[in-house]
Amino acid sequence: MSSRISRRSLLRSAGLAAALAPFGGALAACGSGSGAGSAGGGGSASAGQAVPLPTYVPPNKPKPLYEGTAQGVMDVYESFPMDGPKTVTGPVGDGTDFNVMIMTYGQPAPPLEENVYWQLLNKELNLNIKPVQVPFADFQTKFPALVAGDDLPEFVSVPIFQNVSRLPQLAEAQFTDLSEYLSGDAVKKYPNLAGIQEAGWLNGYLNGRIYGVPRSDPIFSTQIYTKTDVIEAAGANPQPKNLQEFRDLAKAVTDPKAGVYAFGGNIAGFLQMMFGVPNKWTRKSDGTFVSAYEHEAFIPAIAELAALYKSGVFHPDTATLIENKVQRDALFRSGKLAMVHDGNRAFGIVADDRELVFDIMLPFGKDGGDAVHWTGNGAYAITMIKKTTDKKRIDMFLKVLDYISAPFGARESFVINYGVEGEDYTVKDGVAVLTTRGQREQDLGMAYIAGGPQVLCNPQGAPGVDKLNYDWQQKVVSTLLPNPAEHLYSQTYNTKGAALQKQMDDAVVAVFLGREPASSLTAAIQKWKSGGGDQMAREYAQAR
């Protein structure tokens, strides 16, 4: 819908997840127990008995052009409805300060006295919003420092992909257990929160209790975007059904003399799905966990990646393009890359280019068998309130998040997404369009702290892009494969996960680019296992 979403999509699809350093100081009282994980479905004695997740109630939303599904297929709208329903009745805030920590991607929002969007939100919510804005680049040092110094604001929004160390213990020690207010049918008091799907809520379900309200994300992970005009000019098949057809497509579109190549980035994830590699972990019938690195198809999938690179179908600058999404997008737009592997709804490619001709490749099995598509975690962030027994304060907090979580097309959602007409947005041909000022003012970040299912709506984008994505999702949803450890807690993962992941990523890239043979992965996997991977597996098996 805007460049704000583009920045977040870009960062997340690039896989910029980092584990924070272990907390000291204020977190010491949390205790680490045995070091085993704990997560949804059970809990420690101090956390109390596990509670049901919030009851799902379809939100009061305008009728979409194409209806999504409870499994994760997204609604499609032609544009943001200008006359949507009002979903919040009665007062929201209580006129007090709303000190909330938000991670941001751009420059800090203009100050309140110059920011009509901020002023509007204060009026709508009856609050004095005081954001503590933490830039993305500073989060992994700033957040633990705030925890250690007991300086966290009253309300805290934590992006899921930042992998906060010992989050369940942190939540139990410093944040309010919201189970009484949100578990089961209790959530119905906040209708827009009841419209958040289970995949989102699982991210705030810690130690079997509800501590965080999620900002939902699409459940689909990545896609292969195809430049159909380039593929058609090469007389190739844009929808291969097996590995050999995929190889044939890559070879057919590659023309070094014209500077055209099949790929320019790392497609290891796509090939692993093609080869049937599990989504990070497998939970066996006896409850034990086995890493996808140990799956019989993992090394063959990476060996195939290396073989494709060696065959010349990758751009000669691939080694640098792996980390340069902007340049990859530019090469794709210009027809110099025929295919690009990116996140679902990769706005940097499709949202702002009405001339772009492209398609999305359907997943397929290596030998033409069943396809596998890995799911994401279902949420961008969770927002929590510091530990309190003040029921009125908790109720006010949840009413604020209920307002912010209004479904796409509702009046409240329009306010959150567009702000003040004539200043933050203008209306062209019946469609609201953010101004440059509107985009800057919304760097305030309030839209990111809570929310239900996202939708497909890109009226300024390539014609038909939303229906194209919707059709792709309908075909792929039956192939979704979750990560069984997604919402389980592992102390080892939180403290060592990022370093171990980088170690394996580097080993894969070394094979990919021909610097090491595929056989080198055997030693890399063993190093990963002994360095913490095996301990993660044990902790996930003990988590409930």
Side-chain angles (χ1 to χ4, degrees), residues 268-296:
F270 183 79
L271 284 170
Q272 288 179 68
M273 289 187 278
M274 185 197 305
F275 276 64
V277 176
N279 187 354
K280 297 183 177 62
W281 293 91
T282 296
R283 186 188 342 231
K284 299 173 68 176
S285 59
D286 62 1
T288 57
F289 278 71
V290 179
S291 168
Y293 296 136
E294 300 174 74
H295 190 272
E296 61 183 7

Side-chain angles (χ1 to χ4, degrees), residues 366-438:
K366 175 175 69 75
D367 300 315
D370 294 339
V372 166
H373 189 83
W374 297 341
T375 63
N377 61 25
Y380 163 70
I382 59 171
T383 299
M384 302 177 285
I385 177 173
K386 289 190 75 174
K387 193 174 285 292
T388 180
T389 57
D390 186 339
K391 292 183 178 292
K392 289 185 178 180
R393 193 66 177 165
I394 296 169
D395 180 59
M396 186 277 294
F397 165 69
L398 294 174
K399 284 180 178 177
V400 171
L401 297 191
D402 184 65
Y403 183 106
I404 295 172
S405 297
F408 183 90
R411 177 194 172 276
E412 299 82 4
S413 180
F414 190 90
V415 170
I416 292 293
N417 281 279
Y418 287 98
V420 179
E421 185 173 6
E423 302 284 352
D424 295 315
Y425 75 93
T426 58
V427 179
K428 298 179 181 179
D429 300 322
V431 176
V433 180
L434 281 174
T435 62
T436 300
R437 175 177 181 174

